[in-house]
Amino acid sequence: MVGYILLALLAAFLAVILVRALRFQPKQQPAISQEAVEFDRQAATDALAQLIRCKTISYSDHSLEDDAEFEKLISLLPNLYPHVFRVCSFDRLPDRALLLRWPGKHSENPSVMMAHYDVVPVDEEKWEQPPFSALIQDGVMWGRGTLDTKGTFNAVFSAANHLIAQGFVPEND
């Protein structure tokens, strides 16, 4: 008897889930206007290539890491993104963390833009192109970090650099 009750409850539960799934309608989202954004595409591409050429490989065993490659990347930043470094404060934190503060009109509700610039080790022999070459072939840049990490890192810096050059000041830090 108890088994039949549990089976009936399970069937009712599944029926409710099924009905709710079938009746589900996503909320209507407002249309997003897509505007063409003018920026220096070549400068952003060149900056990404320079970042890719830095072998910032992180290992579980930090003794395997090449500190010079991390320092090389960090030393490139003020030249690649001069407006960012003119306006933003720059602090180096433990474990190679970098913190920049872009002052806004207010500081009560700050935003965070984040990315990392290290990559994980890979078997370089299995790559079709050298993984730190930043070779552009058929409109595609090859390299460790192009899609993740350094690509995001470059996008955040390039966007901020462009906006600062235009005189933009964010509402909040």
Side-chain angles (χ1 to χ4, degrees):
M1 184 70 161
V2 173
Y4 289 119
I5 293 172
L6 289 176
L7 187 58
L9 288 174
L10 180 61
F13 177 70
L14 291 174
V16 168
I17 290 174
L18 181 62
V19 168
R20 291 193 70 184
L22 292 172
R23 294 183 61 205
F24 176 75
Q25 293 289 323
K27 292 181 183 177
Q28 291 296 320
Q29 299 294 322
I32 298 172
S33 67
Q34 296 181 355
E35 302 172 22
V37 176
E38 297 295 325
F39 70 101
D40 190 342
R41 183 178 303 273
Q42 191 59 51
T45 301
D46 293 343
L48 179 58
Q50 289 187 56
L51 298 175
I52 295 300
R53 291 185 191 112
C54 298
K55 296 182 179 182
T56 55
I57 304 170
S58 288
Y59 294 90
S60 300
D61 178 355
H62 294 300
S63 69
L64 299 173
E65 296 172 354
D66 187 345
D67 289 331
E69 290 293 323
F70 285 89
E71 290 302 318
K72 180 172 108 177
L73 183 142
I74 294 167
S75 71
L76 290 171
L77 300 178
N79 292 323
L80 296 176
Y81 315 103
H83 302 296
V84 169
F85 281 81
R86 177 176 49 82
V87 169
C88 301
S89 62
F90 174 67
D91 292 305
R92 295 181 68 166
L93 304 173
D95 296 324
R96 297 192 184 105
L98 309 175
L99 177 65
L100 289 94
R101 179 179 169 265
W102 183 2
K105 297 173 187 170
H106 309 284
S107 59
E108 295 83 32
N109 296 307
S111 296
V112 174
M113 295 181 280
M114 307 178 23
H116 57 102
Y117 57 97
D118 62 330
V119 296
V120 297
V122 295
D123 182 353
E124 295 185 22
E125 298 299 319
K126 292 185 178 178
W127 273 63
E128 292 179 37
Q129 301 297 337
F132 295 98
S133 67
L135 172 73
I136 298 177
Q137 187 175 54
D138 299 324
V140 175
M141 183 181 294
W142 287 81
R144 297 289 297 124
T146 53
L147 298 178
D148 181 26
T149 68
K150 292 179 184 177
T152 305
F153 189 82
N154 180 56
V156 169
F157 269 103
S158 293
N161 199 62
H162 174 76
L163 288 169
I164 291 168
Q166 301 298 313
F168 177 79
V169 177
E171 281 301 312
N172 291 288
D173 292 359

